[in-house]
Amino acid sequence: MLSYQHIYHAGNLADVQKHALLAWMLSYLTRKDKPLTYLETHAGRALYDLSDATAEKTGEARQGIDKVAGWFAPDHPYSQVLQELRETHGPRAYPGSPLLAAKLLRPDDRIHLAELHPQEHSALDLAMSPYPVKCHLSDGFEMAFALTPPTPRRGMLLIDPSYEIKTDYETIPRQIAKLNRAWNVGIIALWYPILTNRAHIPMLDTLAANHPDALRHEVRFPPARPGHGMVGSGMFVINPPYGLATEAQNLTARFATLTQQER
Ligand code: SAM
């Protein structure tokens, strides 16, 4: 049985990188007056309360969004969703990726989310109930294969696994290659951890060989706890939208200030 729960990590520095880039891409895609599809394989519960004892226990949000919210201008789509959500749900609310999508996309856009954990799926369903989205209680890749290529064809897929199954690092490049063949115009974004044991490296080597034009963005940050194996996070984006590289560079400069402070 899966044991990962994102509430322990919500709003941490990895979420900041992933959610800032995701919000930017979704906002960019809505500049064109044409509907799009957003698919997400590993949705989580969408709405997080950072004052929850579980979140407080790890303190990851304190080192994350609490510390760096000021990096983002008020008109950045990530700041806008954060502010809007907090007006409704209180100052410690935090949006997961499904809520970023629901708030940034338009009524004609299609959103399909997969979450395999029954409790997380129920919470997701509840959080997303005000929005016209479909929450699938299913394996994320099964949902993605069943729906690609989607209608409308424009759009993106976010893959944000918890990497609880160690073979994920081997299987993900094959699954992504298959999805890319089925939906060659779709943006496919994969989040991955940067680990001291380098478990992510062979996966990245295969992805880079299979998709030489993809954008690979990595940031480093101090481990959440001394000795913790995750020391950074990455996003691998196939068919990156124009301007994403610049947005990513801005984030790189911001994250560099965190590790400079450590020296
Ligand atoms: N994408 C979310 C966000 O940024 O707000 C966080 C998702 S969290 C990293 C990963 C989620 O995937 C967990 O809620 C876990 O229960 C779920 N999960 C794990 N294996 C899955 C699978 N095979 N299919 C769908 N969901 C899965």
Side-chain angles (χ1 to χ4, degrees), residues 128-225:
M128 302 312 287
S129 56
Y131 307 96
V133 311
K134 179 99 178 68
C135 302
H136 304 249
L137 176 58
S138 73
D139 172 76
F141 280 106
E142 273 177 25
M143 180 201 76
F145 289 131
L147 294 178
T148 45
T151 305
R153 277 206 179 215
R154 279 184 84 230
M156 74 172 286
L157 163 65
L158 175 66
I159 303 170
D160 182 20
S162 36
Y163 295 97
E164 280 172 281
I165 301 167
K166 290 305 155 216
T167 50
D168 279 354
Y169 292 105
E170 264 171 66
T171 55
I172 283 174
R174 285 198 294 276
Q175 288 163 315
I176 287 183
K178 196 171 156 191
L179 288 165
N180 178 229
R181 278 195 297 277
W183 190 20
N184 62 354
V185 298
I187 298 165
I188 300 180
L190 171 73
W191 178 85
Y192 58 93
I194 295 179
L195 300 167
T196 49
N197 69 8
R198 300 172 62 80
H200 61 290
I201 298 282
M203 178 181 81
L204 264 294
D205 289 346
T206 308
L207 285 167
N210 291 351
H211 311 280
D213 298 329
L215 183 145
R216 178 174 170 177
H217 179 246
E218 294 185 350
V219 293
R220 302 268 166 174
F221 42 75
R225 288 167 290 290

Side-chain angles (χ1 to χ4, degrees), residues 9 11-17 58-65 67-68 71 191 193-196 218-233 251-263:
H9 312 291
N12 69 4
L13 288 164
D15 261 9
V16 169
Q17 182 221 14
T58 62
E60 291 190 27
R62 298 241 173 250
Q63 293 306 311
I65 190 62
K67 192 163 163 182
V68 307
W71 283 356
W191 178 85
I194 295 179
L195 300 167
T196 49
E218 294 185 350
V219 293
R220 302 268 166 174
F221 42 75
R225 288 167 290 290
H228 189 62
M230 186 169 85
V231 290
S233 80
L251 263 187
T252 301
R254 301 292 197 192
F255 273 88
T257 63
L258 296 175
T259 40
Q260 275 153 16
Q261 282 161 15
E262 282 280 295
R263 284 182 192 136

Side-chain angles (χ1 to χ4, degrees), residues 2 4-6 15 18-19 22 40-46 48 94-98 114-117 120 138-141 158 160-162 164-165 191:
L2 301 170
Y4 179 93
Q5 285 182 44
H6 197 62
D15 261 9
K18 171 181 61 189
H19 291 159
L22 174 66
E40 180 164 351
T41 52
H42 298 71
R45 57 172 50 206
Y48 298 92
Y94 185 78
S97 41
E115 171 55 54
L116 192 56
H117 195 296
E120 293 299 289
S138 73
D139 172 76
F141 280 106
L158 175 66
D160 182 20
S162 36
E164 280 172 281
I165 301 167
W191 178 85

Side-chain angles (χ1 to χ4, degrees), residues 74-94:
D75 64 350
H76 192 288
Y78 182 36
S79 306
Q80 285 178 334
V81 174
L82 193 60
Q83 193 197 326
E84 204 183 307
L85 192 76
R86 288 180 168 182
E87 279 164 12
T88 321
H89 294 279
R92 301 297 288 147
Y94 185 78

